[in-house]
Amino acid sequence: MLNKLTRLLDAAAITLTDHQKQQLVAYVGMLDKWNKAYNLTSVRDPNEMLVRHILDSIVVAPHLEGSRFIDVGTGPGLPGIPLSIVCPDKHFTLLDSLGKRVRFLRQVQHELKLDNIAPVQSRVEDFPAEPPFNGVISRAFASLTDMVNWCKHLPAQQGRFYALKGLRPDDEITALPDAFEVEKIVELAVPGLEGERHLVIIRPLNFNNCKK
């Protein structure tokens, strides 16, 4: 699996240390093992996980600005765990409402010795952002409107929302509330993955109004 990961990283022009590669492979191994009992992901093949979970997450890394991020609706840690491995200088709060997922995340944190993540069990609406975050990340979490409405209390003054999407969500972009605007849409290239991937970066227009 390590060889396949290396080939995928080379194809994506992503350079990682051997330790980071080993951590990513170990994470996939844990996800595969726990998935049999906890049904954490519909992807069953570890080799497929390398593409659909690992590469699909880490291609976002170059576009993240700041040092503190929250991954809302993280599930089994996607994209937060892979991002925390490839961005050791950034901190990721991993938020999910289901206890079994958070237990898995804490085990990953322990086994992989990740000191830049904080697994938290909470509904996003109930989670206090103290201090607020540079970025709010979601992957297959909700519509853009629901994301900014549910998470509007989380970003800092210059914070951004980072929504990982498949097809370019033009209808969702059109429906965004007036207090938010799309700053950038990045078409992502994920080696070995069929279909489109886009990163939608959103910024609040009026910070004080959007916090109310």
Side-chain angles (χ1 to χ4, degrees):
M1 195 184 302
L2 185 59
N3 289 338
K4 175 165 185 176
L5 176 61
T6 298
R7 289 195 299 272
L8 290 169
L9 292 170
D10 288 345
I14 296 173
T15 302
L16 299 179
T17 66
D18 288 342
H19 179 62
Q20 287 171 314
K21 293 177 188 177
Q22 289 162 359
Q23 284 182 308
L24 290 171
V25 168
Y27 169 62
V28 169
M30 292 185 66
L31 189 52
D32 179 47
K33 178 182 175 182
W34 279 62
N35 205 33
K36 294 175 173 63
Y38 286 86
N39 196 29
L40 297 171
T41 170
S42 60
V43 181
R44 301 293 176 185
D45 180 358
N47 286 300
E48 199 175 344
M49 289 178 188
L50 287 177
V51 174
R52 292 179 59 183
H53 288 337
I54 302 302
L55 263 291
D56 196 37
S57 295
I58 65 177
V59 291
V60 176
H63 307 287
L64 301 180
E65 295 185 8
S67 60
R68 296 185 67 256
F69 297 87
I70 181 167
D71 177 7
V72 294
T74 187
L78 298 164
I81 293 287
L83 285 173
S84 73
I85 290 171
V86 303
C87 304
D89 58 328
K90 303 183 188 301
H91 188 277
F92 296 85
T93 295
L94 309 179
L95 193 73
D96 202 275
S97 61
L98 283 186
K100 67 177 182 179
R101 294 173 182 161
V102 175
R103 284 193 295 275
F104 171 71
L105 296 173
R106 287 176 178 147
Q107 189 63 29
V108 171
Q109 180 182 30
H110 172 70
E111 290 196 23
L112 301 188
K113 297 179 172 57
L114 297 175
D115 58 8
N116 62 331
I117 66 170
V120 177
Q121 183 179 353
S122 173
R123 289 166 50 88
V124 65
E125 304 95 312
D126 302 331
F127 183 70
E130 296 297 338
F133 297 90
N134 301 125
V136 180
I137 305 173
S138 80
R139 178 180 186 258
F141 169 64
S143 71
L144 295 179
T145 294
D146 284 344
M147 179 188 180
V148 297
N149 282 336
W150 295 342
C151 305
K152 61 188 176 184
H153 60 294
L154 298 175
Q157 184 85 44
Q158 300 297 321
R160 296 291 185 268
F161 296 91
Y162 298 88
L164 283 68
K165 295 286 186 175
L167 296 174
R168 180 180 164 124
D170 289 319
D171 290 347
E172 293 183 24
I173 290 169
T174 302
L176 266 178
D178 292 340
F180 304 87
E181 78 167 8
V182 172
E183 183 174 78
K184 188 187 299 184
I185 302 172
V186 182
E187 187 170 354
L188 301 168
V190 183
L193 188 67
E194 293 183 6
E196 297 179 18
R197 287 293 184 272
H198 291 86
L199 172 64
V200 183
I201 304 175
I202 300 169
R203 72 183 182 95
L205 288 176
N206 188 321
F207 184 77
N208 291 326
N209 283 346
C210 85
K211 301 284 274 193
K212 294 178 182 176

